Each structure stands twice: as C-alpha cells, then as structure tokens.
Amino acid sequence: MTAVGLTGYGWYVPDEVVTGAEIAARSDIPEGVVVEKMGLRKKHVCPPDEDHCTDMAVAAAEEALADADVDPEALDMVLYHGSEYKDYVVWSAAAAICERLDATNAFGTESYTLCAGCPIALQQVRGMLAAGEVETALVVTASREEDLVDYGDEDASFTFNFGSGGAAYVLEADPARARTRALVRGSHALTDGSFAEDVIVPAGGSRNPPAAETVARDMHALRVPDIDGMKERLAEVSLPNYLDVADGALERSGYEREDLDFVAVTHMKRSFHEALLEELGVDPEGEGYYLDEYGHMQSVDQIVALDEGHRAGRVQSGDVVLFLAAGTGYTWAATVLEWLGEGDAR
C-alpha cells in the first residue's frame, strides 16, 4: 500500500489575547473556575476586521509549505476543514485559499466535521493519496467561532474556551523518508446523531433566515437549548466513545494503547483531559499537551498540541502519536501517526 507522509506543518494565532480573568469578569464565573476547571489561562481572538478564516489559513499554509519545501504549484488539492463560520456564507474558502497561495494546479474542496475535523480530514486525504488519485495535498483549517460566544449565557459556558487560530499540513504519497515528519496510519470515527441539535446558532440558516428580528432577539450566538439534558446524555457516552475511536485507530494501525507515546487532543475541561489520557495509559504531563494558553480552536487544536509537544521534547523520533477529537453533533474521531521527524524544535 502507498505510504502517506506528513512532510510539513504550520499554524497561526492572532496577537490579541483574552485572559481567563477577563472571561471571568465578563461572565460572572469565578476566575478559579475558568482557569482551573475550564482550563483556560488565556486564548487568542481576532479583531473584528482582521484575521478572517482565510487569512489565518493562508498564514498557516505558507508556513506548512515552507516546512515541507513544497511549491504551491506542486499541489494537486487543497482541502479546507475549518469552520463554516468563515469570511462569507455559501462560499468556498478552499477556492480563495488556492488563489491566494497561487496553487494554480490544485483543486479546492471542503470537509466539515466541526471540532472532529482534523482526524477525519487526515483519513479522507490519506485515502485519496494511497489510491493514487492525488500525489501532494495541502490540508488547512481555521476558526474564529469565538465571535459567536455570548459570555452572558451561562448555559453555553462550555463555549467560553473557544479561541481563534489556523493550522495546515502537507501530505504526500511515498515521500522521501528523510523529509517526512510523520507517516499517517489508521483512523476511526463514530457519530451519535441524537446530539445533532444540542448546540446551534438559532438564526442565519434556512429555518430562521437572518433578519432584523433575529438580530434584535440575539439569535446569532451559540446556544444550548437543553444544557442539563445534553450534559446528562453526554456524560454517559463521551469517555467510552473517545476510547472507542482511539482503540479503533490504534488497532487499524497495528498498535495498542501501551504503544502510545503522545496524544494531541481537543481542548476540554482539565479534569476530563487528565482522565481521558490516563485511561489511554498516557501521562497528561509528559505525553500530551494541554492547550490552556490557547483554548479550543476547533480542528486547529491537534497541530498546535503536536507542535508544542515537540517543542517541549515530548515527541521523539519513532513515537506513536494519536490525533484525538470530538465535535458537537456528536462525532468522535482519531488518527494515528508515526513520528519520524526529529529535527530542531520549531
């Protein structure tokens, strides 16, 4: 089977920062709860008229292409798997990214699995590369869903960690091992559609088109219609489903939990992060990276956690790395990588 390698990656966050203390002041939630329980010391946010999703995606993509030493004209495809809340509605961010990068030989397409997008996108593009349909692909994401957070809505407090950023990586079929940072292995995902309408922006779609009334009624922020019901149902399935997709991806890659060396996982409350990694047999302090200085950036999280882990010396040549994620809807997903690129910490 054709090997698929991750040959370069990059990421970007805006300069503007909101601290946990500031979020506590806006929301009337005690600072200790925001910082310790929610696990958010600070996060990066976008100014109103700067750092739109394509801006952040392009910045990350340029870094990834340079890291891989790949010219944009060598790309066969560009896959955007970032937020649907982007520069415009009913619009191809992928096409705009191709144009801005001068990726003249690539086709642009999009895939959206909310916060589970990174492992899913890896799985999708790996399949196309392994099948010989494309040879070189750029996979890119960005999110600024922090714009949709209402800090006055305590029922939506789990969204208070939403931050902004972009990430990108280059995947190539049968690349030279000397320039391959990681080999992409197996994936697994599952969806529980009973959560499909538990987290929504009530207006802006076909059910409630944007209008003066929807703006007046504050219907354009993230809402959780039944927070108690969602928490009760999610508590029963979240950990088992995380472990299910992790085990499935490991098995398809020829590994077991005991082989894991590093887990890059979606930002979540600190206690659940620690419990999840411990269930996987991973030390949260040494074999993972907690994004308490970034918050949750949708499908950007995994690349940032990987790079910060690499910078900290937690990811070494030969390590088995797990990209693990979950997105409202609810979809859980995992993809395994075998890390090869020791190199200098970036």
Side-chain angles (χ1 to χ4, degrees):
M1 183 177 179
T2 301
V4 173
L6 189 157
T7 57
Y9 65 87
W11 54 279
Y12 171 87
V13 292
D15 293 332
E16 189 169 325
V17 168
V18 173
T19 66
E22 289 172 316
I23 292 170
R26 291 188 195 181
S27 63
D28 289 332
I29 293 176
E31 182 179 347
V33 173
V34 175
V35 175
E36 298 302 327
K37 184 176 181 180
M38 294 183 178
L40 187 64
R41 290 200 290 164
K42 66 179 182 181
K43 63 181 183 179
H44 296 258
V45 299
C46 299
D49 298 321
E50 299 177 26
D51 287 327
H52 299 289
C53 279
T54 53
D55 299 327
M56 294 186 287
V58 167
E62 290 174 340
E63 185 175 316
L65 290 166
D67 188 40
D69 194 23
V70 167
D71 190 283
E73 293 185 358
L75 294 172
D76 300 305
M77 72 175 291
V78 172
L79 175 73
Y80 173 81
H81 63 94
S83 176
E84 280 191 323
Y85 176 70
K86 51 195 177 186
D87 309 36
Y88 306 102
V89 297
V90 194
W91 179 71
S92 174
I97 292 166
C98 284
E99 175 68 12
R100 291 178 60 178
L101 292 173
D102 201 24
T104 53
N105 296 310
F107 70 89
T109 188
E110 304 198 8
S111 170
Y112 186 56
T113 323
L114 293 104
C115 307
C118 184
I120 297 284
L122 271 169
Q123 179 184 38
Q124 291 172 322
V125 180
R126 173 180 178 265
M128 297 179 71
L129 288 159
E133 297 174 8
V134 296
E135 294 183 0
T136 306
L138 174 69
V139 187
V140 62
T141 181
S143 178
R144 56 176 292 165
E145 291 186 353
E146 195 271 342
D147 292 353
L148 304 177
V149 175
D150 178 359
Y151 293 103
D153 182 3
E154 190 172 346
D155 285 347
S157 62
F158 85 95
T159 69
F160 292 179
N161 68 336
F162 283 15
S164 300
Y169 47 90
V170 177
L171 298 180
E172 299 184 61
D174 280 333
R177 192 176 181 92
R179 54 185 295 272
T180 302
R181 286 191 167 271
L183 294 174
V184 184
R185 299 303 193 189
S187 301
H188 187 48
L190 63 87
T191 294
D192 184 341
S194 68
F195 293 94
E197 296 189 20
D198 279 324
V199 183
I200 60 172
V201 176
S206 60
R207 290 183 182 269
N208 293 296
E213 181 183 1
T214 64
V215 173
R217 293 173 59 189
D218 202 16
M219 296 174 66
H220 293 268
L222 284 161
R223 301 297 182 201
V224 185
D226 179 17
I227 183 61
D228 292 332
M230 187 187 81
K231 283 182 176 179
E232 181 178 353
R233 289 179 290 115
L234 195 58
E236 296 178 358
V237 301
S238 189
L239 181 59
N241 286 349
Y242 265 118
L243 298 175
D244 188 342
V245 297
D247 289 337
L250 287 165
E251 181 179 355
R252 291 176 181 180
S253 306
Y255 296 115
E256 299 178 352
R257 291 186 194 180
E258 62 190 30
D259 298 310
L260 269 176
D261 297 298
F262 186 83
V263 176
V265 65
T266 301
H267 181 270
M268 58 191 70
K269 68 180 183 179
R270 191 183 300 272
S271 61
F272 192 85
H273 173 92
E274 293 174 352
L276 173 59
L277 267 60
E278 288 170 359
E279 282 285 341
L280 289 169
V282 170
D283 175 11
E285 296 298 322
E287 298 167 318
Y289 186 85
Y290 191 58
L291 296 165
D292 58 351
E293 293 192 345
Y294 298 97
H296 176 41
M297 300 168 287
Q298 211 193 56
S299 58
V300 177
D301 287 6
Q302 283 69 36
I303 290 293
V304 176
L306 170 68
D307 190 43
E308 289 286 16
H310 183 224
R311 290 172 185 268
R314 301 179 187 181
V315 182
Q316 307 290 333
S317 181
D319 280 357
V320 175
V321 174
L322 181 68
F323 277 12
L324 186 58
T328 51
Y330 235 98
T331 295
W332 291 260
T335 293
V336 172
L337 297 93
E338 179 187 339
W339 186 258
L340 304 178
E342 190 65 29
D344 297 325
R346 298 167 74 251

